[in-house]
Amino acid sequence: MANCASRDLSVAVTRVRCLVIGSGAAGLWAALHAANDGTVLVITKDRVTESSTNYAQGGIATSACPEDSPDLHAQDTLAAGAGLCDEPAVAILTHEGPQRVMELVSYGAQFDQVNGQWLCRREAAHTRSRIIHAMGDATGAEVQRALTEAVRNHPEVTVREFTQALRLVLVNGEVIGADTICTATGERIRIVADATILATGGVGALYKVTTNPLVANGDGMAIALRAGATLEDMEFVQFHPTALACDETPAPLLTEALRGEGAILLNTHGERFLDRYHPMAELAPRDVVSRAEFLEMERLGAEWCLLDLRPIPEEQIRANFPHVLQMLTDRGFNPFESPVPVRPAAHFVMGGIATDLDGWTGLRRLYAAGECACTGVHGANRLASNSLLEGLVFGYRAARAARREALLPLDAVEAAGSMEPPAVPALPSDVADQVRELMWKRVGIVRNSDGLSAVVDELAHLWQRTEWSPWPAAQEAEAANMVEVASVITRAALAREESRGAQYRTDFPETKDEWHCHLRIRKAPDGSLEFSRRPVARR
Ligand code: FAD
Ligand code: SIN
């Protein structure tokens, strides 16, 4: 583990075989698998453990549990995805997933067991009990712990904390690494690599209410977009139905597994309401539950709904959800006595940097994996507990492809050593809160043309304050990335004139055949956004 210490503002150049940007499940897993062929450097903009991965609760979906199969897991994934999942990607996720999970165990991750068998739990929209978990409800912390230890012990992997990627370095149309700064001291390092893997996570931090840590602000997507990569399905932002209704960021989560074990949702009049919206009631897909909550809150003028844990036996809560229970107790709630206030919160983005099934972005030597990438595996709505699995399956594939990259030609390495960095956008850091407010109010669970158009205009207005600098301050670069990615999400949501999965438009409430496709966005040479459609892949 290395941290930046120097305040020297000249640009240091570091040469590695593979650069991984991000230290969640996808990044650390990719680093371990890229490492068999030379040095790997992982950079991460906060502590190594500050990632969405570390906050994950419910578990990992794997058909390694009894009475299940990869095909059944695939069927549930496709059903949740509302017609937009790419079948080849889903087949890879569900068929390769169990093997990756076994490897994760061999790296030291421990999942809850009884009599030597994994305890498999059910979550919403799964037709089988297939979710393995750790310490009851702290699966992500266990995955992060195991992988952090594994990279620490790996002789070929170095992790550099508090180091933020500002831009990708391109020479002759190839990505040959990234320019980075130390978030504490401003130290500047150009990392030259034969292959670069973006694993920068999602976009929850673009929203005022989110379960994600603030590092999830879309940096990787903005950086890739500016380098010429394509983003896909960005309009599909998933809102988790049961974040604690409070002012904290991230909002503490009450895992979906609670509803899997019997917890029910009530409105503020104490009435159960989900059966009015979907036959699966509490176990309906996430987009349905969040939207039902939103409508119920609006109907009653309420700020929250209530999650009633009392249908679950007390001992079961203590045994299976110790961290959720502790979190509630710390905040003065007693779930054995009364229901807990919850509301939806931005949680996951189905879209991201478009890649093929080996994580390749279409830019030479650049790969992406995990939540920042879009393989088409989640379609318009992710099935619960498929995301950690995605990081393992596609992080492995990206690493395998990255390992095959040839050494950079000498002239490219020499050019990288002396090249002047192109300027990147920077905005005052107070812009970040304005973005969060706008996105939460108008680009959330329920959208319409007027609200989306207003946000497009407001974001364009904020963008006018942009200053371009080769080495902006870390937070100012983040604020500009937030505006860029928020604009992409909003423009995509406006372009898709239908409702499907996580996108619900009051002005276009129906699902349309003409929109049975992925929506892709890239930057034209003049900086404007270009849209195109990609058909959904079938097997
Ligand atoms: P992350 O884990 O978010 O890691 C991204 C990394 O990139 C971070 O280290 C960040 O610091 C770094 N980074 C970002 N920008 C830069 C930059 N510019 N320079 C350098 N580093 C950068 N999924 C499940 O499957 N099961 C669950 O039970 C589950 N529960 C969840 C509960 C919560 C509260 C949350 C928030 C998410 C949950 N999810 C769950 C979703 C899942 O955790 C994430 O989708 C997944 O962990 C993402 O992994 P990742 O490696 O792609 O990104
Ligand atoms: C949860 O535990 O409810 C989150 C699961 C997920 O996001 O996959």
Side-chain angles (χ1 to χ4, degrees), residues 142-158:
E142 174 60 7
V143 171
Q144 186 81 47
R145 179 203 64 73
L147 295 182
T148 302
E149 264 179 46
V151 294
R152 274 195 179 122
N153 293 331
H154 200 296
E156 287 180 17
V157 184
T158 304

Side-chain angles (χ1 to χ4, degrees), residues 21-27 43-46 50-53 55-59 163-165 199-201 211-212 215 219 253 347-348 369-371 382 385-388:
I21 305 177
S23 63
I43 61 161
T44 187
K45 69 177 174 178
D46 202 290
E50 188 62 353
S51 64
S52 288
T53 298
Y55 290 78
Q57 291 186 352
T163 301
Q164 180 172 321
T200 46
T211 62
N212 291 188
V215 291
D219 275 355
L253 188 74
H347 183 65
F348 183 84
E371 195 172 335
R382 173 178 65 99
S385 290
N386 264 355
S387 177
L388 292 170

Side-chain angles (χ1 to χ4, degrees), residues 326-370:
Q326 189 64 51
M327 177 278 287
L328 290 173
T329 309
D330 289 348
R331 288 159 179 79
F333 295 103
N334 182 347
F336 304 119
E337 278 182 2
S338 44
V340 179
V342 293
R343 61 179 168 179
H347 183 65
F348 183 84
V349 62
M350 273 63 76
I353 303 158
T355 70
D356 69 9
L357 298 175
D358 286 322
W360 185 50
T361 62
L363 294 186
R364 280 152 66 197
R365 298 182 187 272
L366 182 67
Y367 298 83

